[in-house]
Amino acid sequence: MTVIVLGSGGREHALALACHRDPQVAAVHAAPGNPGTASFATNHPIDPCDKDAVVALAREVAADLVVVGPEAPLVAGVADALRDAGIDCFGPSAEAARLEGSKAFAKEVMASAGVPTAASRSCGDLDSVGAALDEFGAPHVVKDDGLAGGKGVVVTEDRDEALAHAEQCLNSGHQVVIEEYLDGPEVSLFAICDGERALPMQPAQDFKRVGDGGVGPNTGGMGAYTPLPWASDNLVETVSNTVISPTLSAMRDRGTPFIGLLYVGLALTSDGPKVVEFNVRFGDPETEPLLSMLESPLAQIMQAAARGDVSGTDGLRFRRGAAVGVVMASEGYPASPVKGRRVVAPVDDEDVLHAGTRIEGDGLVTSGGRVLVVLGHGETLAGARTDAYSRVNQLEVSGGFHRTDIALHAAELEAVDEMADELAPQSENNPSNPTDGENS
């Protein structure tokens, strides 16, 4: 197989690596890619939202599969253009991508499918925003209805801050969605979908706030880990039955079957899992640790989904142990990241994924807010954390920063559980909910 991965971030680096590992893949192309993907794939300097350029590249390299990494090309209809050209594409149509492109649309689909989610109001002016804020009370959850690169959500106790964010969204020409706050840890669950069936991955958890302890503004994600030793054994089955399957059915009923990666952002509330948001592509930075644990041939499975039938695959298999990903970010992220700063990192280490770097002269410099995603692995989360942070300490993003608490609380809970198992092997584990996840 020849595979093209569209995009340039850490998620696309991880996707390209996973395809590179697939024994049926002979060549990987990245468009535009980054210095990391260039170490094993062929980079092409094209705009992934340029439908004509993407189709032309796919024809030029005789691509058997195109994988769309970011959300913007999907909303722009790149997947439609590829399918119209007879080229297999892993990614939903523009109409189906509205599950992420419009939070109001996603709420409409969830309501029709009976999917558990937060109560919400879609607002087109500040008066209706104010009324919705008062209806749901604090903490206030304010979401930009359109694409916002993972940074369109404000969760705050401050009503004035909530109103200010809503006004900014409205001034950009977008509606605003006001939601009730969902209490409980957040979980990310990805599922490869063929329009009818779904292959769910093991859960992951990411860290959205910029600072240790979950303080500061929301970001695209400062780190992630998998698996979740504290989560219930039936979490994946429950979410598949109550969220993923009903959503796929509702999308089919609308005449817009969902083919691609459905990202389900969940809050594990006292009333059970509820959907915080849908995304229509692999989430970042959860993808990096998740795919590093995947043993299944990802490119073959994504091609089966693109062709509308994953029933002939062996499903998704993950290796034992744990993976932790730590984001090294540029100074000023997320508000105004500084670009052009020196980066000291390898380009050919599969545990150092490039998210915002470029070549300048003989070295690397920052080209975005999230610069590197550094992975660690171990038999336990504690071991994976040690491995990840040991690697972080060997790298440099000049003037940059990272969180030091990725998966910390979950690792502590895991250690307590292991000790309890040793002392009372017949007892049932029921750890308290971790505070790692940050509701958004």
Side-chain angles (χ1 to χ4, degrees), residues 61-232:
V61 303
D64 299 290
L65 175 68
V66 178
V67 180
V68 185
E71 59 273 28
L74 293 168
V75 173
V78 167
D80 304 80
L82 287 162
R83 291 194 182 98
D84 288 345
I87 300 164
D88 288 338
C89 177
F90 184 77
S93 66
E95 185 64 25
R98 291 181 66 205
L99 281 175
E100 179 170 1
S102 169
K103 293 175 178 62
F105 175 78
K107 286 292 187 181
E108 180 185 321
V109 172
M110 283 187 269
S112 67
V115 168
T117 187
S120 67
R121 299 289 180 267
S122 294
C123 305
D125 57 71
L126 278 180
D127 287 341
S128 58
V129 168
L133 292 175
D134 294 339
E135 176 185 358
F136 293 129
H140 304 294
V141 181
V142 184
K143 296 184 176 182
D144 189 328
D145 182 55
L147 296 180
K151 297 180 283 290
V153 180
V154 163
V155 182
T156 179
E157 297 278 352
D158 187 333
R159 189 175 186 276
D160 289 339
E161 181 183 0
L163 280 170
H165 180 64
E167 185 173 17
Q168 180 180 357
C169 298
L170 291 169
N171 289 341
S172 298
H174 296 167
Q175 278 194 310
V176 177
V177 175
I178 310 297
E179 293 186 355
E180 67 171 333
Y181 178 80
L182 294 179
D183 193 17
E186 285 199 11
V187 172
S188 302
L189 185 63
F190 300 175
I192 292 176
C193 304
D194 66 5
E196 182 176 353
R197 293 159 289 266
L199 300 176
M201 294 188 167
Q202 67 184 28
Q205 187 174 65
D206 75 332
F207 296 73
K208 294 180 176 63
R209 299 285 183 171
V210 73
D212 282 1
V215 301
N218 267 349
T219 72
M222 292 298 297
Y225 70 96
T226 187
L228 312 183
W230 49 268
S232 64

Side-chain angles (χ1 to χ4, degrees), residues 230 232 413 417 420-421 427-433:
W230 49 268
S232 64
L413 285 176
D417 284 351
D421 283 345
S427 66
E428 180 179 355
N429 296 330
N430 187 25
S432 60
N433 282 338

Side-chain angles (χ1 to χ4, degrees), residues 138-437:
H140 304 294
V141 181
V142 184
K143 296 184 176 182
D144 189 328
D145 182 55
L147 296 180
K151 297 180 283 290
V153 180
V154 163
V155 182
T156 179
E157 297 278 352
D158 187 333
R159 189 175 186 276
D160 289 339
E161 181 183 0
L163 280 170
H165 180 64
E167 185 173 17
Q168 180 180 357
C169 298
L170 291 169
N171 289 341
S172 298
H174 296 167
Q175 278 194 310
V176 177
V177 175
I178 310 297
E179 293 186 355
E180 67 171 333
Y181 178 80
L182 294 179
D183 193 17
E186 285 199 11
V187 172
S188 302
L189 185 63
F190 300 175
I192 292 176
C193 304
D194 66 5
E196 182 176 353
R197 293 159 289 266
L199 300 176
M201 294 188 167
Q202 67 184 28
Q205 187 174 65
D206 75 332
F207 296 73
K208 294 180 176 63
R209 299 285 183 171
V210 73
D212 282 1
V215 301
N218 267 349
T219 72
M222 292 298 297
Y225 70 96
T226 187
L228 312 183
W230 49 268
S232 64
D233 292 338
N234 65 350
L235 176 62
V236 173
E237 180 181 5
T238 298
V239 176
S240 294
N241 292 335
T242 62
V243 177
I244 298 173
S245 291
T247 299
L248 293 182
S249 294
M251 294 299 285
R252 283 200 315 276
D253 291 345
R254 289 172 174 265
T256 56
F258 187 91
I259 296 174
L261 195 288
L262 183 64
Y263 168 120
V264 184
L266 299 159
L268 304 187
T269 75
S270 56
D271 295 326
K274 293 187 177 183
V275 176
V276 175
E277 64 175 351
F278 284 140
N279 291 335
V280 297
R281 36 70 190 183
F282 284 91
D284 197 350
E286 301 99 317
T287 296
E288 290 89 327
L290 266 171
L291 294 190
S292 75
M293 301 291 286
L294 183 67
E295 294 183 330
S296 303
L298 182 63
Q300 295 176 58
I301 293 172
M302 290 192 294
Q303 185 179 52
R307 293 178 173 178
D309 189 1
V310 297
S311 62
T313 68
D314 292 332
L316 299 174
R317 301 183 307 278
F318 291 85
R319 61 187 171 101
R320 292 176 58 84
V324 171
V326 179
V327 170
M328 298 182 70
S330 185
E331 179 184 355
Y333 179 71
S336 53
V338 178
K339 299 180 182 180
R341 291 286 180 84
R342 188 171 80 112
V343 177
V344 178
V347 296
D348 58 354
D349 185 338
E350 293 191 358
D351 289 327
V352 179
L353 302 174
H354 289 244
T357 68
R358 61 180 172 85
I359 299 289
E360 185 174 281
D362 295 330
L364 291 169
V365 298
T366 59
S367 65
R370 291 184 292 179
V371 180
L372 302 169
V373 182
V374 183
L375 299 178
H377 300 89
E379 289 298 314
T380 64
L381 280 174
R385 274 178 45 82
T386 298
D387 189 36
Y389 282 106
S390 174
R391 191 167 284 111
V392 166
N393 291 334
Q394 299 171 28
L395 309 177
E396 179 188 349
V397 175
S398 180
F401 67 97
H402 61 272
R403 282 183 61 160
T404 66
D405 61 348
I406 303 301
L408 174 61
H409 188 55
E412 293 170 344
L413 285 176
E414 183 182 49
V416 170
D417 284 351
E418 289 175 350
M419 184 177 297
D421 283 345
E422 292 175 2
L423 295 175
Q426 301 303 315
S427 66
E428 180 179 355
N429 296 330
N430 187 25
S432 60
N433 282 338
T435 57
D436 279 339

